[in-house]
Amino acid sequence: MSSPEPERAAELARGDDSRREGRTGPPIAIDVDGLELVYSDGTAAVSGIDMVVPNGEFFGFLGPNGAGKTTTIKVFATLLSPTGGEVRVNGFDVRSESRKIRESIGYMAQETSIDPELTAEENIRFACEAYGVPRGERPERVSELLDLVDLVDVADKRAEEFSGGMKKRLDAATALVHRPPLVFLDEPTTGLDPKARNRLWDYFRRINDLGTTIFLTTQYLEEADQLCDRLAVILEGEIVAEGSPTDLKREVGGEVLDVELEGDPAARERAAAIAREFDAFTDASVTQTDEGISVTAETARQHGTDLLVALRDAGLTVTGFNIRAPTLDDVFLAITGEELETDDTGAER
Amino acid sequence: MNFKRWNRKAVRNPFVLVVSLVQPIIFLVLFTEVFGNVAGGAVNRGIPGISYETYLVPAITIQVALAAAITSGVGLVNDIENGMFEKVLVTPMNRTAVFVGKTAAEVFRIAVQIAIILGLGVLLGAEIVTGIVGAVGIVAIGILFSLWFVAFSNALAILTRDQESTIIGANLLQFPLLFLSSAFLPLETLPEWIQTFARFNPVTYGVDAARSLMIDRDVMTVIEVSWFDGALNGVAPGIAVLLGLDLVFGAIAVYLLSRASSSDVK
């Protein structure tokens, strides 16, 4: 199979006018005011979310399992009715104009949703029929989408024979048949290997380059960092942080020095105490990790070695260290005080 | 368009088509060959002058309808499991049309299968006294009969959301329904309790109606009417009962489906 070609993506991105046609929605793609959703068993999945996603943005919705990401995206896709608040998608009200929303959005569910008994081409064709793509435009649309997700070679193979990544790509293609100006992607890369994940990212960037607004949920910080213009971090049904990945990282403050230590928790305790009182760092934030300690400070790079020396002089054995720019993991740690769970097993509703 | 998808799936997966035909065919061949001589006598005491093949074929058409209807619910569970159910819900497609399309594809398949059984029955020596018109009528009765079971298996599918449970639940009913009816032997030759059960068994009504058409005589065993001449007296009450059943089970299935596909928080 051929690898994704950047030139092709660029060519698609430039696009002729007909390609752009239908992709431009109203200036605000998603407008949410005080969204609440309480399940009938009393579980509050979402409690008071406000957010505005402008047209054309690649917006990321980041949070651990069970934070309320899928519930929120299902409200936007008209699969769930909100129990409180106002939600407008592409300018339409989710309660009273659900059909108009359905016509103007693409939705890719967390679970891969394709008919395994149909071929790749038939799956896309069915989506064309379901979204009312005019009969005359279908053949061209089908081949265009097969091309976009690089499934031309296997167009006539049944989807059940596909790998997980191929199924996801096919699923993504079926969400785009009607050229929606806004696409929802619910944890699209969960459970994929890194190679397949990277490849899928390429397609999402292409789609976004074509002018499509993308709303993506993910529990992978790296994914949000790589793809999104702007992020909201959700925790237990509430948005706890918002901004560009860079903004969020800046909030962490400075660079991160990870120090690996030998010995028991007491050694880590002592090391943390030393780091907190270390004169060369101002406003350092110190956390204990499984391997040792993690120090975030403006001057971590300049004075890191001094700290290592101080630790050694105190009789502690440093087995390794690393200085790095903060990742969204650190952002999350700074916001919540706990590390983000990134296992794939937990189901979410 | 859902009609097309389900038809395509049926052709794509001939295994399901064949299996839901094979069991009834085995019944048809085994019963006529093994019990033919014995049962033929019993049948002839009630309805003189017909072969066991002729007697049995209408019953087998009902069995086909029953077996094929089970796969309807299984198909729905598959759709729920592979995400197509939800996927269709986010499209602007009319939801009623979605389920009508799926059911239409299944009904179409059942019609084809019944036609095959009728053809095979004739080859084995059964006789459709009313000819082609009667054959078409039997197909129609088969479809009418299948609808309540299609609705039933879909309702099971939504309630269990599990393929095995749906298959087991529907299959469990299949044999008692068939045997505790007028399908294989005239009711008079069966024990009292079976006769009682058979009176409330939809299969009895389907089989008797189809059989009346098959041999052009009123053989409806439960409800005696004499509004018409001849066979229609057997067909009409059967159809009436089946229509009623279809409405009741259909309503239940539609209620469950619309509840499952509504966006209200549960």
Side-chain angles (χ1 to χ4, degrees):
Chain A
M1 211 182 306
S2 65
S3 60
E5 308 154 58
E7 311 88 73
R8 169 81 187 138
E11 183 190 311
L12 278 173
R14 273 194 303 279
D16 50 61
D17 286 345
S18 71
R19 247 184 239 291
R20 288 216 167 256
E21 183 190 1
R23 281 194 193 266
T24 30
I28 291 178
I30 307 171
D31 192 351
V32 184
D33 185 18
L35 167 63
E36 279 177 25
L37 196 131
V38 183
Y39 284 100
S40 59
D41 63 1
T43 319
V46 179
S47 15
I49 281 182
D50 302 315
M51 107 178 48
V52 173
V53 178
N55 205 22
E57 190 167 66
F58 204 132
F59 188 86
F61 205 40
L62 179 70
N65 278 331
K69 301 189 299 291
T70 296
T71 302
T72 308
I73 212 168
K74 281 193 171 172
V75 169
F76 296 167
T78 74
L79 287 170
L80 284 174
S81 272
T83 49
E86 292 299 316
V87 180
R88 297 187 84 79
V89 176
N90 284 334
F92 303 116
D93 182 80
V94 284
R95 289 193 186 84
S96 57
E97 297 170 298
S98 57
R99 194 182 167 118
K100 281 184 174 148
I101 293 178
R102 287 180 200 138
E103 281 169 0
S104 63
I105 61 161
Y107 168 70
M108 185 171 161
Q110 189 168 353
E111 307 296 331
T112 313
S113 308
I114 49 171
D115 193 326
E117 286 176 349
L118 300 184
T119 66
E121 191 191 331
E122 286 166 346
N123 264 293
I124 299 180
R125 200 172 285 275
F126 173 69
C128 283
E129 290 164 7
Y131 280 100
V133 175
R135 198 171 289 273
E137 295 173 26
R138 285 178 202 166
E140 197 205 339
R141 195 72 54 90
V142 170
S143 60
E144 175 191 314
L145 285 168
L146 283 171
D147 193 35
L148 179 75
V149 295
D150 280 334
L151 289 175
V152 179
D153 297 346
V154 290
D156 296 326
K157 282 221 166 72
R158 284 200 214 178
E160 62 199 345
E161 298 169 27
F162 289 3
S163 68
M166 288 161 82
K167 283 181 184 162
K168 276 288 182 194
R169 271 145 57 197
L170 177 58
D171 195 7
T174 61
L176 300 172
V177 291
H178 50 309
R179 292 189 175 139
L182 169 63
V183 176
F184 292 100
L185 306 170
D186 193 2
E187 296 196 25
T189 63
T190 298
L192 293 184
D193 61 67
K195 200 176 152 211
R197 187 174 298 173
N198 267 308
R199 206 159 164 187
L200 211 50
W201 288 352
D202 266 344
Y203 302 111
F204 297 154
R205 286 196 193 101
R206 282 189 202 181
I207 298 163
N208 184 238
D209 285 343
L210 292 169
T212 309
T213 311
I214 297 187
F215 184 94
L216 169 121
T217 72
T218 182
Q219 45 175 310
Y220 298 114
L221 301 157
E222 190 198 353
E223 181 161 275
D225 197 6
Q226 284 276 328
L227 293 172
C228 300
D229 303 325
R230 213 156 52 87
L231 291 175
V233 181
I234 182 172
L235 193 70
E236 287 167 8
E238 287 173 48
I239 291 181
V240 291
E242 207 177 336
S244 71
T246 325
D247 287 343
L248 291 180
K249 281 190 231 166
R250 196 172 295 134
E251 268 178 38
V252 176
E255 287 178 298
V256 184
L257 170 65
D258 294 316
V259 182
E260 287 172 34
L261 291 166
E262 208 175 80
D264 48 23
R268 268 176 261 156
E269 198 78 53
R270 274 178 59 210
I274 293 168
R276 276 191 201 99
E277 284 154 26
F278 197 61
D279 293 336
F281 295 156
T282 46
D283 295 334
S285 97
V286 181
T287 49
Q288 294 185 41
T289 63
D290 288 343
E291 293 83 25
I293 58 168
S294 186
V295 183
T296 308
E298 291 289 349
T299 55
R301 193 170 288 275
Q302 293 92 316
H303 300 294
T305 46
D306 299 337
L307 175 65
L308 295 176
V309 170
L311 290 174
R312 198 187 58 194
D313 289 350
L316 294 159
T317 312
V318 175
T319 55
F321 68 93
N322 182 37
I323 294 181
R324 56 183 172 80
T327 65
L328 282 167
D329 270 309
D330 303 307
V331 174
F332 206 83
L333 197 67
I335 295 166
T336 65
E338 55 188 285
E339 285 193 58
L340 180 50
E341 288 288 328
T342 48
D343 67 297
D344 307 335
T345 48
E348 203 184 336
R349 52 177 182 178
Chain B
M1 57 207 76
N2 227 15
F3 176 70
K4 241 165 66 186
R5 177 166 74 95
W6 284 98
N7 274 331
R8 191 173 280 146
K9 280 165 76 90
V11 177
R12 197 54 58 73
N13 206 344
F15 189 71
V16 172
L17 256 172
V18 171
V19 167
S20 57
L21 258 182
V22 161
Q23 205 173 34
I25 289 176
I26 291 176
F27 267 62
L28 180 62
V29 174
L30 286 187
F31 273 54
T32 51
E33 296 308 307
V34 177
F35 300 130
N37 286 330
V38 190
V43 167
N44 266 313
R45 255 177 284 138
I47 316 161
I50 66 161
S51 67
Y52 190 57
E53 284 83 0
T54 307
Y55 184 82
L56 194 61
V57 163
I60 301 297
T61 62
I62 294 301
Q63 190 188 357
V64 169
L66 208 53
I70 294 172
T71 63
S72 171
V74 176
L76 180 63
V77 173
N78 282 340
D79 249 22
I80 292 173
E81 280 175 357
N82 65 29
M84 289 303 283
F85 184 74
E86 195 179 76
K87 183 166 209 141
V88 166
L89 291 185
V90 288
T91 72
M93 253 196 286
N94 181 301
R95 290 181 178 181
T96 313
V98 168
F99 296 110
V100 168
K102 177 172 178 292
T103 310
E106 278 141 7
V107 164
F108 178 66
R109 199 185 68 211
I110 290 170
V112 171
Q113 290 183 323
I114 291 178
I116 292 173
I117 289 293
L118 287 178
L120 197 74
V122 170
L123 279 182
L124 282 172
E127 196 190 350
I128 307 175
V129 179
T130 46
I132 292 291
V133 178
V136 171
I138 292 171
V139 171
I141 290 168
I143 289 170
L144 202 60
F145 176 83
S146 71
L147 286 176
W148 78 270
F149 213 67
V150 165
F152 173 74
S153 75
N154 276 291
L156 262 186
I158 298 166
L159 291 175
T160 63
R161 305 218 168 198
D162 177 70
Q163 197 172 339
E164 278 85 13
S165 314
T166 306
I167 296 175
I168 291 171
N171 259 328
L172 206 63
L173 274 174
Q174 190 188 348
F175 287 111
L177 281 179
L178 279 172
F179 279 91
L180 304 181
S181 76
S182 58
F184 300 127
L185 285 171
L187 278 188
E188 311 88 80
T189 64
L190 297 171
E192 192 71 33
W193 70 271
I194 294 185
Q195 292 194 27
T196 312
F197 183 90
R199 278 176 220 289
F200 299 99
N201 184 346
V203 172
T204 302
Y205 294 89
V207 169
D208 284 352
R211 189 171 284 147
S212 297
L213 264 180
M214 183 91 176
I215 61 178
D216 198 15
R217 255 181 268 177
D218 172 16
V219 289
M220 175 56 67
T221 37
V222 188
I223 307 169
E224 284 307 327
V225 295
S226 49
W227 309 323
F228 315 98
D229 286 334
L232 281 179
N233 279 333
V235 178
I239 288 181
V241 169
L242 293 181
L243 267 178
L245 270 174
D246 289 347
L247 286 177
V248 171
F249 278 89
I252 294 172
V254 167
Y255 167 73
L256 288 172
L257 263 175
S258 60
R259 206 183 61 175
S261 54
S262 86
S263 54
D264 290 333
V265 171
K266 285 170 282 290

